[in-house]
Amino acid sequence: MPEVNRPAEGRWTRLVTARPRLSLLVALVLTALAVLAGGGVGDRLAAGGWEAPDAESAYATKVLEREFPASQPNLLLLIDAGRAGVDDPAVAAEARRLGERLGAEDGVTGVGSYWATGAPALRSKDGSQALIAARIEGDEKTAAEVLTRISPAYRGTHGPVRVTVGGPVAVQHEMETVIQEDLLRAELIALPVTLLLLVMVFGSAVAALLPLAVGIVAILGTNAVLRVLTEFTDVSVFALNLTTALGLGLAIDYALFVVRRFREEVADGADTRTAVAVTLRTAGRTVLFSALTVAVSLAAMLVFPQYFLRSFAYAGIAVVLLAAAAALVLLPAALMLLGDRVNAFDLRRLFTRRAPGAGSEPGAGWARTADLVMRRAPLFAVATVTGLVLLGLPFLGVTFGTADDRQLPRGAESHVVQQHIRDGFPGSPGGGLEVLAEGPATPAQYAEYRDRLAAVPGVVRVDGPVTSQGHAVFSVLPEGEAVDQETQDLVGELRALEAPFGTSVTGAAAVLVDTKNALADRLPWAGAIIAVVTLLLVFLLTGSVLIPLQAVVLNALSLTAMFGAVVWVFQEGNLSGLLSFTATGAIETTLPVLMFCVAFGLSMDYGVFLLSRIKEEYDATGDHEHAVRFGLRRTGGLITAAAVILAVVMVAIGASRVTNIKMLGLGIALAVVMDAMVVRSLLVPSVMKLTGRATWWAPGPLRRFHARFGISEAGDSIPAPGPAPDPPAKGGEAGASDRRDTSRVGG
């Protein structure tokens, strides 16, 4: 390439390419350290975090755990006596022995049983089963350690009875185990399939390995970050799945974009150093913007108090930044060393034969698609928006609930125990509400308050009070199911009831009410953060007022199919047999928030890829329609390939046996595919055709702001709206769109 056209190397290009071998060696050392630092991270993560820690129900639960441990059992032993029945003398003797033994275990308190109390709620309707209930003290990690230590001694056959272990602590522990096993299986599936798809996209085995290497670096680095965070805060085990999915998906997206641009420059005759400089100036800036938009979408979850959501923000931000860093530092160094050898080992030759010169121009199909869509822009815009809205309609019937044992496979021991309790025991297991009373009170005041509780509509029975040093607890049995709307309404009525002492209400329905309120309070803030920062970043990239608004609206539209499918499949139970999960008739409350933040960020990822190429060409030609056609032709195949690969990774994650992980993986896979194949291919070109050159308008002050602070691939200001230049001559579009005036893209 003539020296006059060589881009002036910027400091970043010189930094990452001056000593490529040293850069790769440092990266290798840091990755090895990350492996050591992140070792055993899964064992330090927790399976809870859905509740708001500062809510009334959380406060009441903590006090009850301390003052009345028997009222908050988290360990259940299901005693099955078979035909002999639980009242058989030999069965009763063995059950009492097991209860006494459990009460003597370190870390276990509040042991009670049917044989000790005679409580009807602890005996099955047919008399063949009964329960021993206890509380394991300590936080989730401590309780899990105690359970692991003691459960083998109780599980199995003991004389005339058979014992199975359940309860909330067993559910959480089993969920952690299943998630880690499923994650390993997902990685074993996703990595080879991803490599195969990358080979199909790039042809070259060498080029295909580069994105995979970037993804592995991002995943290992994020595991180390999560391991460090567990020393300071609770982190959800579910975050590991997001780490794998985003680590592979985004790293592949970024590496695809960088490697593809590098290969384009090399194919156009640039030497290796020039190709790397142009790639960093163009694709590198796009990757940086994409990473920022995804990170902002994920960072919005930090405003919520539930550590389940905050954990995904920790993992997501870390993996996005690490993937971008690897793509902008390690990848250029590798490309400097490889040069045109990045195209080596073209494995497609093993499967296809193509005569020299055969085949159509790369991206020609996408150019024809853009032409077709823009010729019928109103039709495609209306039809696409209507279809997306219709797909999202089931979400209007969403019912929010809480996660329970039914997240686990049907054969999981703790799920089996809880199902036996649901089906065979009287009352509504786990559906009771507890009212904590604090402060000095007389027996007469307690009795009067109990009568007032019993008089509330929807209350079947009130037990208690049980008192302890200035505290008392009343157990309220509602008419409704554990967390149905009637029971949730009852929580509000109990909290509004006047009392001569302080009261707090907890229980499954109270936790759900508080969780929904916490999400509703913070949701506007999260939405505002995503919207404002996205608008600002897209404006800095494009210099347009309209394009950022389009990006936010169209990205939100791309998620409708995901939310509609979540309700139709996972709430209503359609395809539950095929997908092997237990439908509960509700969606866990925090899942839609999580799925929105992740899917919106990924949609912006693809949106930035497309808009950056459109903007680059528009800056060079001032021809709006040609720029849209060029952008789709250059990125349509790339975005589709990236979406398919990410969808494969998410489907592998969605093969989990835990329902929430299945919902997250399959839902986001659907959102990614819909965004890439419908929104980016049909809706964006049709809307940009309808808005015409006004798409690029901005008022004077904002134009000057963008001229000073904006960042774009071409680095030029937006041409003022006016008569478009003559379009490229027929048959000459390739020459116009393929030009590489590298003098205008300094590195």
Side-chain angles (χ1 to χ4, degrees):
M1 179 170 286
E3 185 65 28
V4 69
N5 284 333
R6 182 187 297 274
E9 290 185 359
R11 284 177 295 178
W12 184 252
T13 300
R14 290 195 298 271
L15 176 66
V16 300
T17 60
R19 294 180 175 82
R21 288 184 177 83
L22 179 61
S23 298
L24 294 178
L25 178 61
V26 171
L28 182 62
V29 172
L30 291 177
T31 302
L33 292 175
V35 171
L36 295 176
V41 63
D43 297 331
R44 300 183 61 84
L45 304 180
W50 290 284
E51 302 86 2
D54 54 351
E56 177 181 322
S57 58
Y59 168 78
T61 299
K62 289 179 182 177
V63 175
L64 291 175
E65 289 173 358
R66 183 182 70 244
E67 301 293 337
F68 307 97
S71 71
Q72 298 287 302
N74 58 8
L75 175 65
L76 299 176
L77 301 184
L78 179 65
I79 311 297
D80 191 339
R83 294 183 178 179
V86 296
D87 294 318
D88 179 83
V91 170
E94 182 62 26
R96 291 191 183 94
R97 186 188 70 80
L98 289 171
E100 293 170 359
R101 181 181 174 186
L102 183 62
E105 298 280 3
D106 290 338
V108 178
T109 187
V111 177
S113 70
Y114 163 72
W115 297 274
T117 66
L122 298 179
R123 179 182 183 274
S124 66
K125 298 173 186 176
D126 63 5
S128 64
Q129 297 175 325
L131 293 171
I132 298 176
R135 177 156 195 89
I136 299 179
E137 298 176 309
D139 58 19
E140 293 175 356
K141 297 182 182 66
T142 303
E145 292 171 357
V146 173
L147 177 71
T148 302
R149 173 171 55 84
I150 69 174
S151 60
Y154 296 90
R155 183 181 293 114
T157 301
H158 296 265
V161 302
R162 180 169 181 79
V163 181
T164 47
V165 180
V169 68
V171 170
Q172 289 190 354
H173 180 65
E174 198 159 7
M175 195 172 293
E176 292 174 17
T177 303
V178 171
I179 286 174
Q180 293 187 49
E181 293 173 353
D182 290 347
L183 183 60
L184 177 60
R185 186 178 70 249
E187 290 172 344
L188 293 176
I189 294 172
L191 287 173
V193 174
T194 297
L195 180 59
L196 177 62
L197 291 173
L198 287 170
V199 169
M200 294 173 63
V201 171
F202 282 122
S204 161
V206 174
L209 286 171
L210 293 177
L212 207 58
V214 172
I216 291 173
V217 168
I219 292 171
L220 295 177
T222 303
N223 285 344
V225 171
L226 293 180
R227 173 62 180 81
V228 172
L229 286 174
T230 60
E231 298 291 338
F232 306 98
T233 185
D234 291 319
V235 180
S236 171
V237 69
F238 290 91
L240 283 179
N241 295 274
L242 186 70
T243 296
T244 297
L246 288 186
L248 281 177
L250 289 177
I252 287 169
D253 286 356
Y254 299 156
L256 273 173
F257 205 62
V258 169
V259 173
R260 175 69 66 87
R261 188 58 182 256
F262 175 80
R263 295 175 80 185
E264 287 179 8
E265 300 300 330
V266 171
D268 283 344
D271 62 79
T272 299
R273 195 172 193 87
T274 299
V276 170
V278 174
T279 297
L280 286 175
R281 175 68 175 177
T282 56
R285 283 186 166 181
T286 301
V287 166
L288 180 59
F289 263 83
S290 173
L292 289 175
T293 56
V294 177
V296 166
S297 293
L298 297 171
M301 288 185 285
L302 291 174
V303 305
F304 297 103
Q306 295 91 338
Y307 80 75
F308 173 78
L309 289 175
R310 298 173 69 88
S311 299
F312 283 95
Y314 304 146
I317 294 171
V319 78
V320 168
L321 296 181
L322 286 170
L328 297 178
V329 177
L330 304 184
L331 205 50
L335 293 174
M336 281 292 298
L337 295 176
L338 289 171
D340 58 4
R341 293 192 299 274
V342 74
N343 299 315
F345 300 106
D346 189 347
L347 301 182
R348 289 182 297 191
R349 296 175 182 175
L350 300 175
F351 308 102
T352 62
R353 290 184 178 181
R354 176 175 291 185
S360 59
E361 178 190 354
W366 290 104
R368 289 192 294 270
T369 298
D371 287 334
L372 173 63
V373 171
M374 287 192 288
R375 280 199 305 269
R376 302 285 187 272
L379 175 63
F380 277 98
V382 172
T384 305
V385 170
T386 302
L388 291 173
V389 170
L390 290 175
L391 289 174
L393 287 179
F395 193 71
L396 296 178
V398 65
T399 299
F400 294 111
T402 56
D404 58 24
D405 60 282
R406 288 169 290 184
Q407 293 282 313
L408 290 166
R410 292 183 178 90
E413 182 184 25
S414 56
H415 183 177
V416 171
V417 170
Q418 295 301 126
Q419 196 61 47
H420 276 295
I421 296 173
R422 266 189 295 269
D423 295 340
F425 283 68
S428 176
L433 297 172
E434 290 163 311
V435 181
L436 170 68
E438 296 180 282
T442 64
Q445 288 175 317
Y446 283 142
E448 180 186 0
Y449 183 67
R450 174 181 172 176
D451 292 340
R452 296 174 66 184
L453 288 172
V456 175
V459 173
V460 175
R461 188 179 72 248
V462 178
D463 296 326
V466 178
T467 59
S468 173
Q469 299 179 349
H471 298 82
V473 59
F474 299 84
S475 297
V476 178
L477 181 65
E479 290 180 354
E481 296 296 326
V483 292
D484 63 12
Q485 191 57 51
E486 289 76 11
T487 307
Q488 293 180 53
D489 294 339
L490 180 60
V491 171
E493 295 180 28
L494 296 181
R495 287 175 171 173
L497 201 63
E498 293 184 1
F501 34 71
T503 61
S504 305
V505 180
T506 189
V511 170
L512 177 57
V513 169
D514 290 340
T515 301
K516 290 165 65 175
N517 289 339
L519 291 175
D521 288 344
R522 308 293 179 89
L523 198 57
W525 289 101
I529 291 171
I530 292 174
V532 171
V533 179
T534 299
L535 291 171
L536 177 60
L537 288 174
V538 177
F539 172 76
L540 290 176
L541 180 67
T542 64
S544 163
V545 171
L546 189 57
I547 288 179
L549 296 174
Q550 288 179 357
V552 171
V553 173
L554 298 188
N555 282 358
L557 270 176
S558 71
L559 309 185
T560 54
M562 175 185 72
F563 285 123
V566 160
V567 171
W568 189 78
V569 175
F570 291 96
Q571 177 178 305
E572 298 177 4
N574 297 292
L575 306 180
S576 59
L578 177 64
L579 298 178
S580 187
F581 69 90
T582 302
T584 63
I587 301 298
E588 203 284 317
T589 314
T590 58
L591 255 294
V593 175
L594 168 63
M595 296 176 74
F596 175 84
C597 292
V598 174
F600 187 90
L602 293 175
S603 297
M604 282 303 305
D605 184 42
Y606 298 137
V608 168
F609 286 173
L610 176 59
L611 290 173
S612 65
R613 294 310 292 265
I614 294 175
K615 175 67 165 60
E616 179 184 4
E617 190 66 11
Y618 182 72
D619 284 348
T621 67
D623 186 337
H624 175 69
E625 291 188 25
H626 166 69
V628 174
R629 183 187 305 107
F630 171 86
L632 192 59
R633 183 164 70 85
R634 280 296 189 184
T635 64
L638 180 67
I639 289 174
T640 301
V644 169
I645 292 171
L646 180 56
V648 166
V649 175
M650 296 307 304
V651 168
I653 297 295
S656 172
R657 292 166 290 170
V658 176
T659 304
N660 275 355
I661 299 296
K662 192 186 300 288
M663 187 189 312
L664 177 68
L666 298 182
I668 292 179
L670 176 61
V672 165
V673 171
M674 292 295 294
D675 181 74
M677 297 186 177
V678 177
V679 174
R680 304 298 152 203
S681 303
L682 304 177
L683 191 54
V684 170
S686 60
V687 170
M688 293 190 79
K689 166 65 176 179
L690 293 175
T691 54
R693 295 198 69 200
T695 301
W696 305 100
W697 177 84
L702 289 181
R703 290 175 62 82
R704 290 188 291 273
F705 178 86
H706 180 263
R708 182 173 182 181
F709 300 106
I711 301 177
S712 64
E713 291 198 347
D716 297 332
S717 60
I718 304 170
D726 294 335
K730 185 176 181 179
E733 180 186 336
S737 60
D738 285 343
R739 72 174 120 26
R740 289 291 174 268
D741 182 10
T742 52
S743 63
R744 65 181 173 85
V745 282

